[in-house]
């Protein structure tokens, strides 16, 4: 970050450091390589969390779908049920 620059651009290779903020308070600094590695770790964690949430949502959808399916009538033989086709049975 250059002196007097309020909103610096993204870090580039060779930049000496960036501020690590906790809210609006600077708590540490990182080099370009440290920042790149930290962002890569956060991306992996975000991808893992997204996969878990997607599986959780898919499982919930499956449970809801299964719970709303019509249940077969006990004792009914499904093989002998004829569908109404509009023609008399022979």
């Amino acid at each position: 970050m250059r002196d007097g620059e309020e909103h610096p651009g993204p870090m580039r290779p060779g930049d000496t450091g960036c501020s690590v903020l906790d809210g609006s308070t600077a708590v540490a600094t990182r080099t370009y390589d440290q920042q790149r590695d930290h962002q890569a770790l956060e991306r992996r964690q975000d991808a893992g969390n997204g996969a878990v949430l997607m599986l959780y949502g898919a499982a919930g959808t499956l449970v809801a779908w299964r719970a709303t399916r019509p249940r077969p009538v006990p004792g009914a033989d499904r093989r002998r049920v004829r569908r109404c086709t509009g023609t008399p049975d022979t």
Side-chain angles (χ1 to χ4, degrees):
M1 180 165 96
R2 295 180 188 91
D3 288 338
E5 194 172 347
E6 188 173 334
H7 297 287
M11 283 189 83
R12 292 179 177 82
D15 285 350
T16 55
C18 70
S19 293
V20 178
L21 302 176
D22 182 16
S24 62
T25 307
V27 293
T29 59
R30 291 186 186 132
T31 64
Y32 174 79
D33 291 329
Q34 290 171 332
Q35 181 67 15
R36 185 189 64 215
D37 294 342
H38 181 74
Q39 287 176 335
L41 174 64
E42 282 186 334
R43 276 193 301 275
R44 285 192 301 272
Q45 289 174 340
D46 289 345
N49 290 342
V52 167
L53 290 173
M54 189 180 340
L55 288 172
Y56 185 72
T61 301
L62 180 65
V63 167
W65 172 78
R66 183 74 174 120
T68 58
R69 286 183 54 200
R71 299 183 192 270
V73 177
D77 187 4
R78 296 181 67 179
R79 292 174 294 187
R80 300 189 73 204
V81 173
R82 293 186 179 262
R83 302 229 184 263
C84 189
T85 58
T87 59
D89 291 339
T90 54

